Amino acid sequence: MAELLKHMYNPQFFERLNAVLIETVPMFDERRFIFKVFDRTWPDLELKQRTRQITIALHEFMPSEFPEAAKVVTSISRSIQSREKKEQSYPFIFLPDYIELYGLENFDESMKAIEEITKLVSAEFAIRQFILKYPDAAMKQMRLWSKHKNPAVRRLASEGCRPRLPWSQELTMFRKDPSPILPILENLKTDPSEYVRRSVANNLNDIAKDNPSLVIKTARRWKSDSQETKWIIRHGCRTLLKKGVEEALRMHGFKTDRRCTVDHLNVSKTVRIGDYLAFDFVFRNLEKRSEQFRIEYVVHYLTSTGKISPKVFKIGEYNIEATSSVSISRRQSFKNFTTRKHYKGKHTLTILINGKPKARQDFEVG
């Protein structure tokens, strides 16, 4: 079983951290700091709570005026970068958290600190509070960062303004009107860094959930011979493709009116919770020329309230010759996870071809 991420804050980590804090924080008291972090509440705290506890403990030893404290936090970040010799080290997430918690009233100093800290650990969560409080000034700063020489800073320009960034507060104003985001994505659509391009695609995908037509329009405008930009467009449209949005499917070469069949769908009649559902079928292209097909399946899960919750899973994308067929078999896990719990009762599996249901079969979860 994988170790919980919150356990990254272990004695070895604090040994490394304290060596830096002793050098960079005036009047730092290592013993008092450790006692403040590892108080009696620590064992019951989850990851984000532990991060915040470290932030608050560190604050006791920092200068009382934030502009001076921001300089110290920046020095801590630079020192860690020089010692660790690696980019994007998540355990130091309490550094941008410090800026978020204590620097909200000091915009300029906070922006300078975030620009440096994000080279060590992404400030994508911290920047969102500044976007909410200072939307125009913060987005102006993000546009500047989108042209920064450092890829971590350029990525922050995109990742920090994602409307639906996981594990963070949604930017509801950008769900309604994402237009302030688009100039940033325009600047980054041909970025040389995959790290940045993946963020651009994820931002597009967030926008697509509330503004699908805008993303389709943007994707059409971005169409080019660049393989990197093509990947951004495809990945940024993944939700639209999963939803079977016809315009998105056609834009990517999947015509929804192609003649085809799904034959001999065999699905396990029953599956135990914790086991795997097995299924197989034969897909046939009935057209007289080769065609592109996107093949997916939907599991219609039974919920605790007796309702049905469908989830789409991609099998693959195939170029299938005229009147040819392909045999496909898959297994779907029914193990319980924190993100999905399974319930006994009738479920359904549906095969989708280019977003259209072609065959379905019921099965029992017991």
Side-chain angles (χ1 to χ4, degrees):
M1 184 176 177
E3 187 175 19
L4 293 175
L5 193 56
K6 68 179 183 179
H7 293 153
M8 66 185 181
Y9 291 131
N10 53 36
Q12 292 76 25
F13 170 79
F14 282 99
E15 254 183 56
R16 290 156 45 213
L17 173 63
N18 288 346
V20 173
L21 298 182
I22 289 168
E23 289 184 357
T24 54
V25 180
M27 307 300 290
F28 178 71
D29 186 326
E30 180 179 4
R31 180 181 172 84
R32 202 161 94 233
F33 174 66
I34 291 297
F35 271 102
K36 284 192 71 67
V37 171
F38 290 96
D39 67 8
R40 61 186 179 185
T41 70
W42 180 263
D44 297 322
L45 299 180
E46 296 304 324
L47 176 60
K48 279 202 165 186
Q49 294 170 315
R50 290 187 176 193
T51 297
R52 180 54 58 91
Q53 181 133 318
I54 297 169
T55 302
I56 293 170
L58 180 62
H59 182 60
E60 182 174 322
F61 307 97
M62 300 293 278
S64 58
E65 296 297 318
F66 180 78
E68 289 304 310
K71 292 177 183 177
V72 175
V73 174
T74 302
S75 296
I76 294 169
S77 178
R78 285 179 176 148
S79 180
I80 292 169
Q81 287 180 64
S82 66
R83 286 168 176 258
E84 298 283 317
K85 303 295 183 185
K86 65 178 181 179
E87 300 173 350
Q88 298 307 301
S89 186
Y90 183 81
F92 299 102
I93 192 71
F94 59 87
L95 295 177
D97 188 59
Y98 188 96
I99 304 301
E100 174 187 343
L101 186 59
Y102 298 110
L104 202 53
E105 302 305 319
N106 300 83
F107 181 82
D108 292 338
E109 291 85 357
S110 292
M111 293 303 101
K112 289 176 185 176
I114 282 175
E115 182 175 327
E116 181 62 34
I117 293 167
T118 205
K119 298 172 188 176
L120 170 69
V121 54
S122 178
E124 64 203 56
F125 301 129
I127 192 63
R128 297 171 82 78
Q129 295 305 316
F130 292 91
I131 294 173
L132 289 168
K133 188 173 177 64
Y134 312 97
D136 294 337
M139 291 305 285
K140 180 181 179 181
Q141 181 64 66
M142 300 281 265
R143 289 193 295 275
L144 291 173
W145 281 341
S146 71
K147 296 182 178 181
H148 199 279
K149 64 181 180 180
N150 187 289
V153 180
R154 297 198 304 274
R155 178 186 178 272
L156 175 63
S158 168
E159 195 73 6
C161 63
R162 283 179 57 183
R164 294 169 172 254
L165 181 67
W167 309 109
S168 69
Q169 183 176 354
E170 290 186 351
L171 298 178
T172 53
M173 70 280 203
F174 291 159
R175 288 185 60 182
K176 294 175 183 176
D177 176 18
S179 58
I181 300 174
L182 296 182
I184 292 169
L185 303 188
E186 288 283 351
N187 288 343
L188 299 173
K189 69 178 185 290
T190 58
D191 198 275
S193 167
E194 181 183 354
Y195 184 51
V196 176
R197 294 195 302 271
R198 185 171 293 277
S199 175
V200 174
N202 288 337
N203 201 324
L204 268 186
N205 190 57
D206 276 8
I207 295 171
K209 293 172 183 177
D210 301 295
N211 299 272
S213 59
L214 178 61
V215 170
I216 290 170
K217 181 181 177 182
T218 301
R220 289 194 183 283
R221 190 174 69 251
W222 285 6
K223 267 204 161 182
S224 71
D225 293 331
S226 162
Q227 292 301 315
E228 290 79 9
T229 305
K230 282 181 180 178
W231 183 89
I232 289 175
I233 293 170
R234 171 63 67 91
H235 204 59
C237 288
R238 64 188 184 275
T239 291
L240 301 180
L241 292 169
K242 275 193 170 187
K243 285 184 175 180
V245 175
E246 187 165 350
E247 194 173 354
L249 286 162
R250 286 185 171 274
M251 183 171 61
H252 288 92
F254 304 110
K255 299 172 183 176
T256 56
D257 58 354
R258 299 300 83 172
R259 293 181 301 123
C260 60
T261 62
V262 170
D263 301 322
H264 311 301
L265 174 60
N266 295 308
V267 181
S268 304
K269 291 183 179 180
T270 60
V271 58
R272 288 182 174 276
I273 294 174
D275 208 341
Y276 288 86
L277 175 78
F279 65 96
D280 57 79
F281 59 93
V282 176
F283 172 73
R284 188 180 301 277
N285 174 18
L286 299 179
E287 296 289 338
K288 294 182 178 179
R289 62 180 183 181
S290 63
E291 292 285 352
Q292 287 288 115
F293 293 99
R294 179 181 172 94
I295 304 178
E296 299 164 299
Y297 63 96
V298 187
V299 178
H300 303 267
Y301 289 102
L302 187 66
T303 68
S304 59
T305 61
K307 295 182 179 180
I308 299 299
S309 175
K311 182 168 176 59
V312 179
F313 299 91
K314 182 180 173 183
I315 292 176
E317 296 171 354
Y318 302 83
N319 188 345
I320 299 178
E321 296 297 323
T323 67
S324 294
S325 63
V326 58
S327 297
I328 293 174
S329 61
R330 286 292 185 276
R331 295 199 314 161
Q332 176 64 31
S333 173
F334 271 76
K335 293 179 180 179
N336 283 332
F337 298 99
T338 54
T339 53
R340 184 185 303 126
K341 188 175 180 181
H342 300 94
Y343 298 92
K344 294 180 180 181
K346 189 175 85 170
H347 290 55
T348 304
L349 182 134
T350 302
I351 305 300
L352 300 179
I353 307 297
N354 290 355
K356 302 294 184 183
K358 290 293 182 179
R360 62 186 293 156
Q361 191 167 314
D362 296 335
F363 60 96
E364 286 287 330
V365 174

